[in-house]
Structures are given as structure tokens and as C-alpha cells.
Amino acid sequence: MKSHFCSKGHENPSGSRFCVQCGEQLSNSVFQGISPGMMLGDRYRIVRELGHGGFGRTYIAEDLNRFNEPCVLKEFAPQVQGTYGLQKAAELFEREAGVLYKLQHPQIPKFRELFRFKQGDKGLLFLVQDYVVGQTYYALIDARRRQGLRFNEAEVMQLMLQLLPVLEYIHSLGVIHRDISPDNLILRSTDGLPVLIDFGGVKQVAATVASQFLGLQGAGGTPAIATRLGKVGYAPHEQMQAGVVSPHSDLYALAATVLVLLTLKEPQQLINPQTLTWDWRHEVNLSPTLGSVLDRMLQSRPGDRFQTAAQVLQALNAPLPSPPVAYPPTQPPPVPQTQATVAFAPAPAPWNQQGSPATVETPVPSSSANPSSGWLGKVSLVFVAIAIAGGVGWGAGNWWIHSQTQPDDSQLQPTTNSPVVSPDDAEPEPTTDLSPDEQRRKEVLQQRRTALGIRYEFYADLVNEEFWTQNPEERGRVLGTEPEDAQLRSQWDAIAANLLGQLERYELSPGVRLQLGGYTEADRDRWKAEANQLHIGSRTLYDLADAKFLRAFPDQRGKDFLKLPIGQVWQATVADTLDAVKSGAAFKRIVFDPGASGTQVSGNLKPGEGKAFIASLSEGQVMEANLTTGEKALFSLYSPTGKTKLLEDSGDRTWSGQLPESGFYEFVVVNDGTAPIDYQLDLTVENSAPSEPLPQGSPE
């Protein structure tokens, strides 16, 4: 029997399509392959090839039994000869297919079936899976490189929070992905969630087949192809060298992927060639929390790493995922022949895009009573939640009763700094009364909410309010599971998807995001007191928060949103802003040099960012303030007690005059545009200000 050799000189059995040692496609293969337009089993029409590797090819096809719905066919082509070897290879492959069949998660392409097809004298095996519309993170990295942009910390943090629960789920079932990398993650277009594809179990089967039936052994009896299970730099050394994998192997690969996104450099460029340790801190500055988490995930000794995805989430101060449940596989429901499949809810924009520009008009939002629809509306909404009771139901009956019986927020105690999800935050159990597509749509929404770490009560409150705003005539009406209400349910889900998209793009720390729905007036009083200790008033704190909030939610400009659900997002923004002020990221004290009458501060601001300055000045001094910056900047100048209005959210760049009181004057610059701006603030004061004048009053 004639042998075939690859370009590296590896010998392969006759008829091999790919090299059994390095995976190279063999040009002298006698196999003719599968071409576009070919029909497989009178069901799958091949559209095109998506890619190929050492163990087979992947195709996109149309499923004629599902209205030509696109799907993915992943071919299994073990390089073994003989009836016995092929039979054993098929048995191993079917076993792996059974493992994939167990995986029922909205961020994993659903496994449909194991499909056999005979072409000539060859029997082919295919895994059939859902087709995911979107871009791989490898493609996104390539696009960022061309634009000269990197992924920022908020984006990779969001990716980790959305993907770690998926890893916790598969690990609970004893499944290790083995090959996490940018090209095996897809940013799904329909909802902006990362989807985990191309599990390494199929490759493991091929390696086992090669080692058992071809006798290809490496050092110590390790299968030679085991070194191919994972990508160099992304997989830890014990996986690459010995084929040993554990849950922390996937966590290592995730951390490597995150650093590639942050630096746009491959792992080999971030690993010190002498010490073989990761050396990335000279490439990117990260928060201490995220930096230490990544360092631990990438430890060379397996025992020094996080052992579970839940531990990583806890270290990131994110909510732990609910205990995963292995749902038994079910047969696909019969496809109706009289109507098309219900479409998914409209998708929001990708989570890494920016929002629309906003104009800050009111530094302190006014309060208004929460709208009420009466007892009938409350009871009706309870029935709505019970009727739909989906993964993300319309109404949230339990929440509504709970929220309507809560005391006024002025009577509530301040929240803690270590938020914990309340026990009554359970989401209604899913119902089977809805179509499979609608159930799946709601499961996707539920997964997105969970990944964000948002309480269900707040989520339902937020979506309900927007739904009622768009459909005031529906307030109080029971919305059931009947077909006639399908359009309204779809609209509710579309609103939910859009709001989740806004929150996914909006940069909030995990801790404050978890508290959404629980912020009270007492929290605002506490924040005001903490700001006053730094000699700034709530007006300055709110200016900084408004710049960010109103840019992301411009439709809230001029509205009395404080008592509405969206007001909770504003309060969370204030909490994060206060942290930025306390850390010095958004705050600086101006000090005049001895004997100097002037000083200057400068910097740059991203869209929606702002910075506050204070200067200790005395009554009667003459001051001139000149701001040089972009057209879309807003400038505020507040006196120590606020009794005298100087500048507030103004487009003016200059103020001069005699100071009306002694104390700390506040200068606030915010970027209200859509592009970064540079700024320079020049202050000139007649005679240098005294070192520490006592304020005549307290800031507001």
C-alpha cells in the first residue's frame, strides 16, 4: 500500500486527506471532497466550507427540513484504515457527540444530531449544530488592529462576566473545552453575547483514534497528537505537553485570550522567553482587581490557579452563577408546515459601541412619584407573570407586589458596601406554553441579565416601565400566552433586549450594578457627606455623573427620572463617580506655588468623562479662569456654599471677578461630545490664596 508524505516528511497511510501528525492537508489525497450545492442525505444542502483542520472540515449548510435554516456540519475524518479501526473511531465519535448533546446552554451552539453519509465506498460522520451569526473575536481583533484601537478593561471585564458562567456550566457536567481562544469565541449579532464554539473533545477523539489504531505515541506513551489539543500560548504547559486538562485549563486560556484582546499581541509576545512567565504589565494598565485575577489564572503551577469559574467570579466581585442544571436532551420538536418559525427579538447594537451624545442640563434630577396603575393593574400584572412565567417573563408579578408594599425610600436604611443578591430575587420558572423559539428567546434574555449581575426585580421594573411608556393603553391588561398576544410579548422582549444592550455597553462596576433596584435617598445622603469631606458638593458630583449617564441615555434628558427605574442606573453612576473622585481619577486639588498668582492644569477627557478641581481661595480676591478645550465641553464654576451662581453647565470658557466668599471653589469640566478632547484650565488670582482658609459654609 502506497504511503503519502506531508511537506514535513511525516508518513501517512494511503488515502489520507490530512497528515495524522501535524494536520497538514495532503495535496495528493485521492478524496474528492464535498462541494457547494451538494445534497447530503436529501436534507442538507452544502453552502460553503467554513474551515478545515487536521481532523476534518466544517461546512455551512441549509437544513431543508427546517425551511432552509442554516446550520453547521462538522465532519469527523479519522485517518484510520480498515473496518475495525473505522468502527472503533465511529464509536468514540458517537460517545463524544453524546457529551455535546448534553450541553443545553444559550451561549453554546445547540447540537442537533449525529449525521451519517456514504460517499462512494467511504462512510462520513458529521456533527450538526446551530449556525451562529456573528464575528469571531479573532476577526474583531484584526479589525481593531486596522483601526489602531484596543479592547478596553470594561469590554474584557464584560466578556469575562458573560463567559465564566458558561464555563461553570460545562465544567459541572465534566466537560472541558480545551481550546478557548479568540477564533473559538463568536460575538453573536442577535444579542451581543459571546458564544463558545469548536469544543476540543472531537479533536481528542481523533487523537485517541490515532494513538490506539496507528500506534502514534510520543514520549512517555503520550499520544503524539495530544500536543495539538489547544493552541500554543493559550493552553497551559501541562495540556500542551501531556494532554492533561482540568477546569483551570480553560480558565488559563480565557485569561490569555483577555490579554490578547487588551494588547492586540499574541501570547508568545507577552511571555518572557527566559522565565517562561507572563510579562504583560508594561503593555497595559489595569485595575488592581482585574490584574491580580489574570495573574492568578495564568500561574504556571496548576495548584496556584483558580480552580473553578465561580472562584474567578467571586474574585471579580461579581455574583456567583446559579448551580448549573444538566437538562436532559430532548428531541427537536416537529416543524410546522403551515407557518414560519417565530423570529428572535430585534438585536441591540454590539456591546462595544458607544452611545449617542447627550447634553447635561440639570445637575440634580428632580423627584417625581412613581406611576401607579391601581390595584387592578397590580393584580393583572401578577397574572401576566404567572401566565408567561418564562425565563424572562413580562410583568414579574412577585416583584410588583413586593415593590408596591415597600416603604418610601426615605425610610430605608443605607445599603451596604458588599451587596448580596437577596433570596427573593428568583426569576419565575420557564413555561412550556410558549413556542420553542419564544422560550429560547427568553432564555437568551435571562442569560444576558444573569451575566450582567442584575437583579430580576429591577430588570422587570425597568422593562415594564418602558413597555408601558410605549403602550399606555396596555397598563393593567392581562397579557397571556395566547397567539393574539404574541406581538406584544415580542415587543416586550425587544425592549428588554435593547435595554440589556444599553446596560452591557454602559460601564458600571460589578458591585454597583448588583445593587440596581436597591439605591435609596439614604445612599444619596451618604454620598453627599463623603463628597463634602473632599470639599466638593453634590452639584459637582452630579455634574460628573450626568455627563456619563446622559450620554448613554440621552432620552432621559430633562425628565424627572429619579423615581423611575432608570433612575437607579443614574444612582449607580453616582456611586461609581464618587469612587473615581476619591481615587483621584476624576478629582484634583489645585495648589498655587509659593508667591505665585497663577497656575495651570491640563489633561484629556473621553466622551462622557469629566474632572473636578478645587482651589482654596478667599473673599475679595480677584480671579480669572480661562478654559481652553473642545467645542462640546461644558464648564461649571461653583462658590463654596453655592449662594452665588457663577457658571453652571456652561459653554462659556472664561469667568473673571471678585470672589464673594472664602472657601473651596469648584471647577468642573465635562466632555459632552462624541470624540476625546484636550483641556487646559488657567487660573490667575490677585495675590496668592491663603493655604487653608476656612469655608464660611458647607457645599451643597
Side-chain angles (χ1 to χ4, degrees):
M1 183 178 293
K2 183 180 179 181
S3 297
H4 290 172
F5 294 86
C6 72
S7 61
K8 299 179 178 63
H10 299 142
E11 184 177 3
N12 298 275
S14 176
S16 297
R17 297 169 55 196
F18 303 97
C19 178
V20 296
Q21 296 191 51
C22 67
E24 177 185 325
Q25 185 178 4
L26 302 177
S27 59
N28 57 346
S29 173
V30 299
F31 187 76
Q32 298 302 314
I34 295 174
S35 58
M38 180 181 293
M39 288 291 301
L40 304 185
D42 296 326
R43 176 170 182 177
Y44 298 108
R45 180 189 293 116
I46 301 298
V47 177
R48 69 177 185 276
E49 180 182 321
L50 288 176
H52 63 271
F55 310 116
R57 295 174 180 266
T58 302
Y59 304 91
I60 181 173
E62 295 175 337
D63 188 346
L64 273 61
N65 287 6
R66 292 196 175 196
F67 306 103
N68 297 335
E69 184 181 47
C71 61
V72 170
L73 271 63
K74 184 178 292 292
E75 179 188 359
F76 178 58
Q79 302 303 305
V80 296
Q81 304 297 319
T83 303
Y84 177 75
L86 287 172
Q87 179 181 347
K88 288 299 180 182
E91 290 176 1
L92 289 171
F93 186 64
E94 289 176 0
R95 186 185 309 166
E96 180 62 27
V99 173
L100 296 179
Y101 196 43
K102 291 192 305 181
L103 301 180
Q104 303 288 319
H105 195 284
Q107 286 172 256
I108 299 173
K110 187 176 181 180
F111 169 69
R112 296 186 180 183
E113 69 166 327
L114 183 63
F115 177 71
R116 293 174 175 82
F117 177 71
K118 189 172 183 180
Q119 186 179 45
D121 60 349
K122 290 185 176 293
L124 305 180
L125 289 173
F126 296 91
L127 281 176
V128 184
Q129 294 177 298
D130 284 351
Y131 175 63
V132 180
V133 179
Q135 287 184 292
T136 67
Y137 277 80
Y138 183 85
L140 295 174
I141 288 173
D142 188 54
R144 293 287 180 103
R145 285 196 182 107
R146 292 195 301 268
Q147 298 168 1
L149 301 173
R150 296 180 177 184
F151 288 80
N152 59 41
E153 179 169 343
E155 289 175 316
V156 300
M157 186 74 159
Q158 187 68 34
L159 173 63
M160 295 180 71
L161 294 177
Q162 291 173 332
L163 202 58
L164 284 165
V166 185
L167 296 182
E168 180 72 6
Y169 168 73
I170 67 171
H171 294 162
S172 72
L173 299 179
V175 178
I176 312 298
H177 186 278
R178 298 182 176 93
D179 199 13
I180 293 175
S181 60
D183 54 351
N184 284 337
L185 291 173
I186 292 180
L187 180 62
R188 186 163 53 197
S189 300
T190 54
D191 55 18
L193 283 176
V195 178
L196 196 56
I197 66 169
D198 203 9
F199 280 69
V202 174
K203 299 177 182 178
Q204 179 66 59
V205 169
T208 302
V209 168
S211 64
Q212 289 185 1
F213 301 111
L214 295 181
L216 298 177
Q217 300 289 330
T222 302
I225 304 181
T227 57
R228 315 304 176 216
L229 302 180
K231 296 179 178 64
V232 176
Y234 292 96
H237 64 88
E238 73 274 6
Q239 178 179 339
M240 298 301 296
Q241 293 176 2
V244 177
V245 294
S246 296
H248 56 68
S249 309
D250 284 346
L251 300 179
Y252 184 104
L254 175 59
T257 298
V258 165
L259 286 179
V260 171
L261 293 173
L262 287 166
T263 64
L264 301 186
K265 292 188 175 182
E266 289 302 313
Q268 294 88 331
Q269 299 173 278
L270 302 174
I271 296 177
N272 188 305
Q274 281 75 39
T275 63
L276 299 182
T277 58
W278 286 81
D279 183 17
W280 57 267
R281 292 185 179 273
H282 63 286
E283 295 286 346
V284 60
N285 292 320
L286 299 178
S287 64
T289 297
L290 180 57
S292 62
V293 166
L294 293 176
D295 281 341
R296 184 172 173 185
M297 294 171 74
L298 292 167
Q299 287 295 306
S300 57
R301 293 183 66 253
D304 293 339
R305 303 173 196 149
F306 292 105
Q307 299 300 300
T308 67
Q311 291 176 355
V312 181
L313 283 169
Q314 189 173 21
L316 291 172
N317 194 29
L320 298 179
S322 302
V325 178
Y327 296 101
T330 57
Q331 294 297 327
V335 179
Q337 300 300 318
T338 57
Q339 59 182 5
T341 305
V342 178
F344 284 94
W351 52 268
N352 58 344
Q353 292 182 359
Q354 299 294 331
S356 303
T359 302
V360 179
E361 295 184 353
T362 308
V364 185
S366 58
S367 301
S368 63
N370 216 355
S372 173
S373 59
W375 174 248
L376 176 61
K378 301 173 188 177
V379 174
S380 298
L381 196 52
V382 171
F383 283 108
V384 169
I386 295 174
I388 295 186
V392 181
W394 181 83
N398 290 336
W399 158 80
W400 183 254
I401 292 178
H402 178 70
S403 66
Q404 295 304 306
T405 57
Q406 284 183 331
D408 182 80
D409 65 0
S410 63
Q411 302 173 9
L412 300 180
Q413 297 299 316
T415 56
T416 64
N417 291 327
S418 301
V420 179
V421 177
S422 67
D424 62 349
D425 192 47
E427 193 163 343
E429 291 295 327
T431 178
T432 57
D433 294 337
L434 304 176
S435 70
D437 286 323
E438 188 168 354
Q439 290 182 58
R440 180 177 176 84
R441 186 175 75 210
K442 294 182 182 300
E443 288 173 0
V444 169
L445 292 173
Q446 181 189 37
Q447 181 63 29
R448 292 176 66 185
R449 178 188 67 81
T450 303
L452 279 170
I454 295 176
R455 299 171 186 264
Y456 175 69
E457 293 182 3
F458 165 74
Y459 164 74
D461 189 2
L462 184 68
V463 180
N464 282 336
E465 186 59 43
E466 180 61 26
F467 180 84
W468 288 330
T469 299
Q470 296 184 19
N471 303 277
E473 71 282 358
E474 299 298 336
R475 191 182 293 269
R477 190 178 80 81
V478 175
L479 197 63
T481 59
E482 296 80 8
E484 53 266 27
D485 285 341
Q487 184 175 357
L488 288 175
R489 294 197 305 270
S490 177
Q491 183 184 3
W492 196 95
D493 289 349
I495 292 172
N498 181 63
L499 289 171
L500 286 172
Q502 289 182 290
L503 292 173
E504 286 163 350
R505 296 188 296 271
Y506 196 55
E507 296 180 8
L508 287 176
S509 63
V512 302
R513 191 188 296 127
L514 182 60
Q515 282 294 97
L516 288 170
Y519 292 110
T520 68
E521 185 178 350
D523 291 304
R524 298 195 297 276
D525 291 341
R526 174 165 52 84
W527 297 331
K528 177 180 176 180
E530 292 182 23
N532 289 169
Q533 292 177 1
L534 298 173
H535 304 293
I536 68 172
S538 58
R539 55 186 177 258
T540 292
L541 184 64
Y542 294 163
D543 276 355
L544 297 174
D546 282 348
K548 178 179 178 180
F549 175 78
L550 292 176
R551 183 175 187 275
F553 303 94
D555 56 314
Q556 298 300 321
R557 189 186 311 119
K559 294 184 179 179
D560 292 336
F561 56 75
L562 187 57
K563 290 292 185 180
L564 298 178
I566 193 65
Q568 288 285 305
V569 179
W570 179 82
Q571 294 198 75
T573 306
V574 175
D576 267 351
T577 301
L578 179 60
D579 287 342
V581 167
K582 292 163 68 174
S583 70
F587 171 70
K588 183 178 181 180
R589 180 175 176 180
I590 298 175
V591 179
F592 290 83
D593 292 333
S597 60
T599 189
Q600 179 186 98
V601 292
S602 60
N604 54 75
L605 297 172
K606 297 177 182 178
E609 281 189 338
K611 190 151 188 176
F613 304 89
I614 62 170
S616 178
L617 305 171
S618 296
E619 180 181 359
Q621 287 185 304
V622 176
M623 181 187 74
E624 182 176 354
N626 290 295
L627 176 67
T628 304
T629 187
E631 180 182 352
K632 291 294 185 179
L634 297 176
F635 187 32
S636 297
L637 172 56
Y638 298 120
S639 65
T641 63
K643 294 178 181 179
T644 304
K645 186 174 181 180
L646 304 177
L647 291 176
E648 185 176 23
D649 295 333
S650 175
D652 294 340
R653 300 290 187 262
T654 301
W655 186 91
S656 61
Q658 191 174 50
L659 299 180
E661 53 187 298
S662 297
F664 288 95
Y665 283 77
E666 302 164 47
F667 308 81
V668 187
V669 183
V670 299
N671 183 359
D672 194 40
T674 59
I677 60 171
D678 295 323
Y679 67 87
Q680 178 178 301
L681 177 61
D682 293 282
L683 291 181
T684 304
V685 180
E686 180 186 346
N687 300 323
S688 59
S691 57
E692 286 289 343
L694 294 177
Q696 295 181 346
S698 300
E700 294 180 347

